[in-house]
Amino acid sequence: MNQNLESQYDEVISYLDRYREFAQRISNRLFIFNPNSPLRFFGLLKEFSTILKQTNPLSGRTPEFYKRWVSDIATDEEKQGEFFSILVSDYSIDSLCERLEAQFPHVDFGKIKKLHEVKKSQLTRFNATQVIGAILAVATALLKSVPADVVKQYIPYERFESFVFWVTVVALTYLVLVMLPIWIKYSKAKRVHQSAGDVMAYMVIKRGEKGE
């Protein structure tokens, strides 16, 4: 059977991104003042010792305090959703992988993980910081490489510096206006990629597939 790996990849990533956004929305709400519970933030500080005790960076187990907070802050609609039970399970990644297996029984996650690694190299090709740095480097090189004596034969050197400065500002402004929407999309894609990568790596290990 012909496998459309790109289509399978899109389905899996879309599902994982929906889960990530759900979990992020709940987590963000934990650290803001809520009209229904204005002292929640101070409650977090009060339970700091409990938080520290239950937190283990090497363990994938969901801390009890987090499950309790999520259950407290989630709306009734969110609790009825498909992702809530995963978020408050003892091992969220394992529960998420079980849901993935049920949702996408046709997917070869070993191959999908390999494709995921290919996508990583594609994302790194776009780097707005390098482009901005290149423009600034050209402007700096222009100021340093053109002798002041040569410039003064035509215009005052201060005017030349001002010209280079404003050309640089215009170029950077144009670059920001044109590339900012693309940069935002790539930034989100990188966050989604990293989050999904952790799940896929666990899935491949869990199923005994080869995803190297």
Side-chain angles (χ1 to χ4, degrees), residues 137-154:
V138 169
T140 302
L142 186 61
L143 289 173
K144 290 184 176 181
S145 62
V146 179
D149 293 339
V150 174
V151 173
K152 289 177 181 178
Q153 294 178 13
Y154 304 95

Side-chain angles (χ1 to χ4, degrees), residues 56-200:
N56 181 359
L58 290 178
S59 175
R61 187 180 182 88
T62 306
E64 292 299 322
F65 69 83
Y66 181 78
K67 291 193 289 185
R68 186 176 71 252
W69 292 348
V70 169
S71 298
D72 174 61
I73 201 173
T75 65
D76 291 338
E77 182 180 358
E78 289 169 336
K79 290 179 181 179
Q80 296 300 320
E82 61 179 320
F83 295 132
F84 180 78
S85 60
I86 298 175
L87 190 60
V88 296
S89 62
D90 287 339
Y91 290 90
S92 296
I93 290 184
D94 190 79
S95 297
L96 180 56
C97 287
E98 290 183 357
R99 189 70 61 84
L100 281 173
E101 287 184 297
Q103 191 81 11
F104 307 103
H106 59 289
V107 170
D108 184 331
F109 284 94
K111 292 181 179 179
I112 291 298
K113 182 177 180 294
K114 291 180 181 180
L115 182 58
H116 192 65
E117 292 302 316
V118 173
K119 299 292 183 181
K120 181 178 181 180
S121 63
Q122 294 175 352
L123 288 175
T124 56
R125 292 172 190 170
F126 178 84
N127 193 321
T129 304
Q130 291 180 353
V131 177
I132 293 174
I135 293 176
L136 294 175
V138 169
T140 302
L142 186 61
L143 289 173
K144 290 184 176 181
S145 62
V146 179
D149 293 339
V150 174
V151 173
K152 289 177 181 178
Q153 294 178 13
Y154 304 95
I155 59 173
Y157 191 75
E158 292 77 10
R159 186 180 299 177
F160 172 73
E161 290 179 317
S162 178
F163 172 77
V164 172
F165 171 77
W166 285 113
V167 168
T168 303
V169 169
V170 170
L172 290 176
T173 302
Y174 175 78
L175 180 68
V176 169
L177 292 176
V178 171
M179 298 186 67
L180 183 60
I182 302 175
W183 180 81
I184 292 174
K185 278 188 170 292
Y186 268 79
S187 295
K188 179 185 177 181
K190 289 177 181 179
R191 292 194 300 271
V192 173
H193 186 277
Q194 181 177 356
S195 176
D198 295 338
V199 178
M200 288 187 190

